[in-house]
Amino acid sequence: MKHTKIIDLLKGKGLLHEVKAKGWVKTFRNNQFIALNDGSTINNIQCVVDLDKFPAELLKKVHTGAAICVRGTLVESRGAGQNYEIQVQHLKVYGEANPEEYPIQPKKHSLEFLRENAHLRIRTNVFSAIMRVRSTLSYAVHKYFQDNGFYYFNAPIITGSDAEGAGEMFRVTQLDLNNIPRTEDGAIDFKEDFFGKSTNLTVSGQLEAETYAMALGSVYTFGPTFRAENSNTSRHLAEFWMIEPEVAFNDLDDNMDLAEDFIKYVVNYTLEKCEDDLIFLDKRLQEEEKSKPQAERSEMSLLEKLRFVLENNFKRVSYTEAIDILKNSKPNKNKKFKYPVDGWGVDLQSEHERFLVEKHFKCPVILFDYPADIKAFYMRMNEDGKTVRAMDILFPGIGEIVGGSQREERYEVLVDKIRKMGIDEDELWWYLDTRKFGTAPHSGFGLGFERLVLFVTGMTNIRDVIPFPRTPQNAEF
């Protein structure tokens, strides 16, 4: 007979009938009660073993982490904590887990310890909940765009251009590092390399997506991106996933509308589909908050933060207005900010962004019209010649979650900006072509998927919301 998912058994599927369940043992209490989980839900099903029916040698193999199959009758439970349980008639052990060696025992483990055992941490309640939420969010991303007339575009992972102009890219090469070919002036001769030029792993699929938006109208990318930034913080990864829609004929206001609608959709979808996991993560976060000093505790629970996003219109504020607010704020005047705000033109830090969201406006905020000097070359210049049509969405507890802009569609203006920023014009010839042939206003944004998962799960370290984190000096597993 086929086995039934535990999520369905816990809904009473097969009640008073023989059922089969397969999974991993969470606990085995008193050699009688097995808590079994198969990953389909945060909740375990209790399997009741009659000691007289099974040999002691078989039961000795049933430890935390062991993979087993049980067959028996699904009945209503008389015990507290579950509605249904399995009265076991048959038990098979697929794979043992020696308790003296198996690291994921039924106790609280530190997140640092679990990162060192990333191949097994998915066996814990915390990480199984996170990864189910991540999977649901991923599906919601595709569902939103597919339901709204977007075409899924696969941007190349290997590229010869730096979309952000930051230069923090991983090089892709087949050159023999022990015998690197050189030009006459001593530079590396990339003509001898596989692609005949210098290539890197992509930091963004935006530039390529813009070319497709200029024919398909509305496209989106959702794929891996890479940053060789030597940053060992709780907010940075060397490998992460980016969501990047691009829409022809959209201006900045359209872009802000799209981003707000998109975020509310995926958050609401996940709240509906992952209720048990989010309740569990909410309780976990509340326990974590208790260990913090009162002044550092969040004013909202996880579920309150998610509803906060859904129930509030995002406040739209110009960068210039935001700077005035921050300059005159109590934290700035009392020198409480780590990075004081002393004038127009500074790049806002997370503490400034969170102040605007959590203390001043008390709702999600979209900042727009940033100084051109702190933004990328492809953003459309405003008539004032100082600001660009950029936007960032700020969330409670996390700060910036989305960055986007109306793109510079004017050929001459874009070429001038590229030259002033010292970017190789020849490298972007194909990008400039889209401004020469049928150019049109268009906009888009980028959302780091792990940043979104971080917010929805309430975790505080981005390494805990991706299966196998890649960070400086760490490419294990």
Side-chain angles (χ1 to χ4, degrees), residues 98-370:
N98 187 330
E100 295 180 4
E101 298 177 356
Y102 182 55
I104 312 298
Q105 290 299 310
K107 62 179 182 179
K108 184 174 181 179
H109 296 285
S110 71
L111 294 174
E112 290 80 7
F113 172 81
L114 292 173
R115 285 178 209 131
E116 294 169 1
N117 292 275
H119 62 306
L120 295 172
R121 67 179 180 174
I122 190 63
R123 308 276 187 96
T124 66
N125 285 340
V126 172
F127 282 92
S128 65
I130 291 169
M131 293 306 160
R132 277 188 295 269
V133 169
R134 182 185 170 103
S135 175
T136 301
L137 273 170
S138 179
Y139 177 78
V141 168
H142 285 291
K143 182 169 173 55
Y144 176 86
F145 287 123
Q146 293 292 326
D147 288 352
N148 284 279
F150 283 72
Y151 297 100
Y152 181 35
F153 164 72
N154 301 117
I157 290 175
I158 299 173
T159 178
S161 62
D162 179 358
E164 299 298 322
E168 295 164 335
M169 304 179 77
F170 289 102
R171 189 175 298 285
V172 175
T173 183
Q174 261 204 335
L175 294 177
D176 181 355
L177 299 185
N178 292 314
N179 187 26
I180 298 174
R182 302 277 179 181
T183 61
E184 289 184 2
D185 59 3
I188 297 173
D189 187 2
F190 285 108
K191 289 182 179 179
E192 298 294 319
D193 207 349
F194 185 88
F195 292 106
K197 61 181 293 186
S198 173
T199 53
N200 308 282
L201 296 179
T202 185
V203 299
S204 169
Q206 177 203 315
L207 302 190
E208 291 87 353
E210 284 187 54
T211 69
Y212 267 60
M214 289 293 99
L216 297 179
S218 300
V219 301
Y220 72 103
T221 73
F222 185 10
T225 50
F226 309 85
R227 297 278 171 94
E229 183 178 355
N230 191 16
S231 183
N232 251 316
T233 76
S234 61
R235 299 180 66 186
H236 290 89
L237 289 167
E239 176 186 273
F240 56 99
W241 287 66
M242 282 287 286
I243 302 159
E244 296 175 296
E246 287 290 329
V247 186
F249 309 109
N250 267 14
D251 63 16
L252 188 66
D253 289 327
D254 299 322
N255 204 34
M256 291 190 278
D257 291 342
L258 173 65
E260 180 172 348
D261 190 58
F262 165 72
I263 289 176
K264 286 184 173 181
Y265 176 88
V266 297
V267 169
N268 185 63
Y269 185 92
T270 307
L271 266 171
E272 290 179 352
K273 299 295 183 181
C274 295
E275 183 179 15
D276 288 345
D277 288 317
L278 290 172
I279 288 172
F280 169 81
L281 291 168
D282 185 52
K283 290 177 180 176
R284 177 201 167 273
L285 184 59
Q286 289 182 47
E287 287 299 314
E288 292 286 317
E289 290 290 307
K290 289 178 183 177
S291 64
K292 297 180 181 179
Q294 187 70 38
E296 296 179 15
R297 294 180 188 176
S298 174
E299 295 179 5
M300 290 183 281
S301 70
L302 172 60
L303 292 175
E304 286 171 339
K305 284 180 184 177
L306 299 181
R307 295 190 185 103
F308 175 86
V309 167
L310 296 178
E311 294 168 3
N312 286 284
N313 292 326
F314 293 9
K315 179 72 174 177
R316 300 183 183 187
V317 183
S318 72
Y319 167 90
T320 299
E321 182 183 348
I323 286 294
D324 289 339
I325 291 168
L326 291 166
K327 275 179 64 178
N328 296 310
S329 67
K330 285 184 179 180
N332 198 55
K333 288 181 176 179
N334 296 334
K335 300 184 178 179
K336 297 291 185 182
F337 284 145
K338 183 179 178 182
Y339 299 95
V341 178
D342 52 11
W344 194 90
V346 299
D347 207 350
L348 299 185
Q349 303 296 320
S350 180
E351 60 180 344
H352 308 138
E353 296 166 344
R354 291 187 59 184
F355 172 82
L356 292 169
V357 173
E358 298 167 29
K359 302 297 183 183
H360 188 81
F361 290 109
K362 297 185 177 178
C363 67
V365 173
I366 307 181
L367 294 187
F368 63 91
D369 285 357
Y370 279 79

Side-chain angles (χ1 to χ4, degrees), residues 434-463:
T434 61
R435 273 65 175 177
K436 290 166 66 177
F437 310 124
T439 188
H442 60 288
S443 298
F445 62 83
L447 192 164
F449 185 55
E450 282 70 30
R451 193 70 66 88
L452 178 63
V453 180
L454 202 68
F455 177 76
V456 174
T457 60
M459 301 303 288
T460 56
N461 194 314
I462 203 163
R463 302 174 193 203

